[in-house]
Amino acid sequence: MSNPVFDNNAIFRDPKKSRQQPQRGRQQGAVLQDSAVTAAPYDAAALNQMYQSPSATTAQTGRMTYDDVIMKTGGLLTIVVVMAALTWFVVPEESRMGVAIIGALVGFVLGMVNSFKKSPSPALILAYAAAEGVFLGGISWYFEVAFDLPGLVTQAVLATMATFAACLVLFRSGKVRVTPKFTRWLLVSMVGYLVFSLVNVLLMVFNVGGDGAFGPLRSGALGVIVGLFAVGLAAAMLILDFDSIKRGVEQGVPAKFAWTAAFGLVVTLVWMYLEFLRLIAILRGSN
């Protein structure tokens, strides 16, 4: 199981789609070889000019690159941060949680739509980032101000950034690899975590087991253990996201799917940030 954003798109999900590439490459190579027989040879000046020319850009190749994904991910995260700041500092205090709930609902709908679209829509992905920013701005304010935990948001942001960097370094170094066993473990763990979270929400709704701010199953020592487990799941999901992006770049997928890759990373990072926010709040005694 991988991020649904990548898992629902065959371009990132199925590496066997490129099996026909070598055959096409041989056919194209034969055509080029035949053409080379009749073409005039390049002189030394032309060859030198070709060698010194800059590398082809994405616009010239039409293929997704790591730079594409980085730039688009950075742009989406910028929108999230800006909208979160506007929600925190501009929206009246009494309206922030209401606006945050609306942002969460809109973000959920747009997230589902973008996850199942076969071709990415930059406008919808940008709208998702804006909606998530509104939600995160409101919920972050609630955690830090309502629970009287100054610096909580900064701690959660730094923890998310550090975990992202650590996962990227481990993936690039090859010390952590995506294997069938790894994927099966994540699938079972994700299903178990979702069931656990659903049970916790139901207990909160029916006021069973206590009145903890995060539910009876997310309080105290158990809450810390579950929080650490959830952060670990989010980190594992990041590893799968990196693997999906790497596969997409190596297979030469169209450049437009850099939007899909960036969207998938933002989805995982938002989840990780929320888990860190809750975990650190529990550790600091808000519950």
Side-chain angles (χ1 to χ4, degrees):
M1 179 179 181
S2 62
N3 190 321
V5 177
F6 297 105
D7 197 47
N8 290 323
N9 197 309
I11 283 182
F12 291 100
R13 183 183 68 246
D14 186 10
K16 297 180 181 179
K17 294 294 183 181
S18 59
R19 280 185 172 179
Q20 300 301 321
Q21 293 296 332
Q23 182 177 356
R24 288 199 296 268
R26 287 194 295 270
Q27 294 172 349
Q28 293 172 356
V31 173
L32 291 175
Q33 185 176 6
D34 292 341
S35 300
V37 174
T38 57
Y42 290 106
D43 56 26
L47 290 173
N48 185 60
Q49 182 179 4
M50 292 173 61
Y51 178 78
Q52 294 181 351
S53 297
S55 300
T57 63
T58 301
Q60 293 169 320
T61 63
R63 304 298 177 90
M64 185 180 81
T65 66
Y66 292 117
D67 287 341
D68 285 341
V69 178
I70 293 171
M71 293 298 293
K72 289 177 172 57
T73 302
L76 292 178
L77 290 176
T78 299
I79 292 176
V80 171
V81 172
V82 169
M83 294 305 297
L86 289 175
T87 304
W88 189 312
F89 295 108
V90 177
V91 176
E93 184 173 322
E94 62 274 11
S95 303
R96 284 176 192 158
M97 281 308 297
V99 171
I101 292 173
I102 294 175
L105 294 175
V106 174
F108 175 77
V109 172
L110 290 174
M112 295 299 294
V113 171
N114 285 312
S115 295
F116 288 97
K117 281 183 67 66
K118 298 302 181 183
S119 182
S121 170
L124 291 179
I125 292 174
L126 291 170
Y128 165 82
E132 285 299 301
V134 171
F135 165 62
L136 292 182
I139 198 67
S140 297
W141 167 82
Y142 177 76
F143 271 65
E144 183 163 315
V145 177
F147 291 157
D148 191 22
L149 295 171
L152 172 64
V153 172
T154 301
Q155 291 176 325
V157 170
L158 291 176
T160 303
M161 293 173 59
T163 305
F164 176 85
C167 290
L168 182 58
V169 169
L170 288 173
F171 178 77
R172 291 292 300 272
S173 67
K175 293 181 179 179
V176 176
R177 294 184 299 171
V178 176
T179 62
K181 184 177 180 179
F182 180 91
T183 306
R184 286 194 299 269
W185 169 84
L186 184 58
L187 171 62
V188 174
S189 300
M190 283 295 297
V191 172
Y193 177 72
L194 291 175
V195 172
F196 177 89
S197 299
L198 178 60
V199 172
N200 188 51
V201 169
L202 291 176
L203 292 177
M204 290 179 64
V205 170
F206 293 103
N207 194 25
V208 177
D211 57 354
F214 307 120
L217 301 182
R218 296 298 298 265
S219 305
L222 178 59
V224 172
I225 294 172
V226 174
L228 291 172
F229 179 73
V231 168
L233 286 182
M237 189 67 74
L238 267 182
I239 297 296
L240 285 181
D241 291 351
F242 295 150
D243 185 68
S244 297
I245 293 170
K246 177 175 180 288
R247 187 162 58 241
V249 171
E250 291 177 347
Q251 293 180 175
V253 304
K256 64 181 180 180
F257 286 100
W259 283 106
T260 302
F263 169 62
L265 284 176
V266 170
V267 169
T268 304
L269 288 173
V270 167
W271 173 36
M272 179 178 289
Y273 168 76
L274 290 173
E275 293 295 348
F276 268 123
L277 198 67
R278 181 160 42 192
L279 174 61
I280 297 173
I282 295 174
L283 288 172
R284 290 183 59 177
S286 68
N287 205 351

